[in-house]
Amino acid sequence: MVRASWRVVLCVGAALSVGGLSACDIEGFGEIVGGECTLIGCHDMLTVAFSPPVDDDYDVQLVLDGAIVGFDCEDGQVVGGGGQVIACDAAGFQLLTTASTVEVAASGNVAMWEAFGSGAPDVEEVRPNGPDCEPVCLQGTFSVATQQL
């Protein structure tokens, strides 16, 4: 993999130094220079945003297309979540998945607040390598209102 990376750098560098594009192509890696597709990867992701953000550790129970996921956010670190929840902070959390329906129940561990919401997330199709190139990933966003108790 390192050798292929250096070859890409050399091909790109050579193409730029002569002011044109090279037909450099690395077998098994798609068209790197001189083609339409690059090798950028992506993941399906769902971002759940708190409005307004919270200043507290919190517990979350989610239902994503019928599957239940629970986790805690402690000092900006995900505790639990079965590997699906990858990040959390005062603004919300991110999961390595998308869903057509989302149900969220969250509550503060110290401050008295809660957030409830259900519905369909806004989903955008992302093609980081161009409109006709793979991969295709779905990026969803869902907002829930937080309220003080």
Side-chain angles (χ1 to χ4, degrees), residues 11 25 29-30 45 58 74 80 82 90 99 106 133:
C11 291
D25 198 15
F29 287 89
M45 189 168 296
Y58 53 88
E74 297 176 1
C133 300

Side-chain angles (χ1 to χ4, degrees), residues 28-82:
F29 287 89
E31 296 178 331
I32 304 301
V33 176
E36 298 177 18
C37 296
T38 58
L39 299 175
I40 301 169
C42 64
H43 294 281
D44 291 347
M45 189 168 296
L46 175 63
T47 299
V48 177
F50 293 137
S51 179
V54 298
D55 187 25
D56 190 12
D57 292 348
Y58 53 88
D59 300 323
V60 176
Q61 292 296 314
L62 296 166
V63 181
L64 306 169
D65 292 335
I68 298 171
V69 177
F71 72 95
D72 294 334
C73 183
E74 297 176 1
D75 296 320
Q77 301 294 314
V78 176
V79 178

Side-chain angles (χ1 to χ4, degrees), residues 80-111:
Q84 289 184 340
V85 185
I86 60 168
C88 67
D89 61 18
F93 52 93
Q94 291 183 319
L95 300 97
L96 278 177
T97 188
T98 56
S100 57
T101 60
V102 177
E103 294 177 44
V104 178
S107 59
N109 290 348
V110 177

